[in-house]
Amino acid sequence: MTIVDSIILGVIEGFTEFLPISSTGHLIVASEFLGLEQNAINKAYEVIIQFSAILAVVLNYRDKFTLQKVDLWAKVFLAFLPIGAVGFLFSSQIKALFDITVVAVMFIVGGILFLIVEKFFIKEDAHTTHDVEAITLKQSMIVGFAQIFALIPGTSRAGATIIGALLVGIDRKTSAEFSFLLAFPVMSAVAGYDLLKHYKDFSDANLMVLGVGFVTSFIVAYITIKLFLKFLERFTFVSFGLYRILFGVALLLFFN
């Protein structure tokens, strides 16, 4: 992996991690185009850029990371449990799904779901939750079960959680914010597990490449979170649904 590869993947990870368009799917596709093998060293790199995205959430929501917010984090942890359990029990089966065709199909399916939810299930006057701290335990659990679908490559963790949140009466912006916070335990668990599994590979990795990827991913993720929330103050998720469908179709045509 070169410095240029590192910057490209860092930008992709930082930009797509918190948007409902699947960071994993984009990284798989980008790696294919760049001719990068999914070897141990490149896996170590992915751990680094995921960790930097986690730090972007912490910095953006540093006021939420206090002992006074224990009730909020109890809900976040509750929403984390379903994907944590399913991911741990079926990790080998999930890895078998990592394929361009699966990614493409799930991009299309997710895009169609966003269009359906926006068209038939969202009524502005029906939203009952406008603050992330007002989310109930029941709502958080439903969002947690929706997040399980994110284990299928191309689905998008952010997309699954946001759709789940929208369907239980949480408004668009608050749905995105809860998804950001929920990324903290999910990505920490994934990055921590991968770090333990691949820590020996860091000694063989180019530290300059890792450092560039870390900084790039962090900066892009931090900015993306802020811009995404601004976007949702004025627009819906329809554009993301259309993008997912077009991108999925393009993948099917290009790789098949």
Side-chain angles (χ1 to χ4, degrees), residues 1 20 50 58 60 106 118 124 130 154 164 168 191 210 215 218 238 253:
M1 182 183 296
Q50 283 183 333
V58 175
N60 266 297
M106 294 313 299
E118 283 285 358
E124 297 301 328
H130 307 282
V168 293
L210 292 177
V215 173
F218 173 80
V238 169
L253 292 175

Side-chain angles (χ1 to χ4, degrees), residues 59-102:
L59 185 59
N60 266 297
Y61 288 93
R62 51 192 176 278
D63 61 310
K64 305 295 186 187
F65 287 81
T66 66
L67 293 176
Q68 287 72 33
K69 305 298 181 181
V70 63
D71 288 342
L72 170 61
W73 286 101
K75 298 167 190 173
V76 171
F77 182 72
L78 183 65
F80 161 73
L81 289 178
I83 195 171
V86 175
F88 177 77
L89 293 173
F90 299 99
S91 60
S92 58
Q93 290 88 339
I94 292 168
K95 288 179 181 178
L97 295 174
F98 278 70
D99 177 78
I100 290 292
T101 301
V102 173

Side-chain angles (χ1 to χ4, degrees), residues 141-201:
M141 179 57 84
I142 293 174
V143 172
F145 278 109
Q147 188 175 219
I148 293 175
F149 291 99
L151 293 171
I152 305 173
T155 299
S156 168
R157 190 205 60 80
T161 54
I162 288 172
I163 286 177
L166 292 172
L167 291 175
V168 293
I170 303 173
D171 69 27
R172 293 184 184 90
K173 184 177 179 181
T174 307
S175 295
E177 289 186 315
F178 190 67
S179 177
F180 296 156
L181 296 177
L182 188 50
F184 180 75
V186 174
M187 293 172 64
S188 294
V190 172
Y193 174 77
D194 283 341
L195 184 61
L196 290 174
K197 188 175 179 181
H198 297 281
Y199 73 94
K200 293 181 180 179
D201 301 316

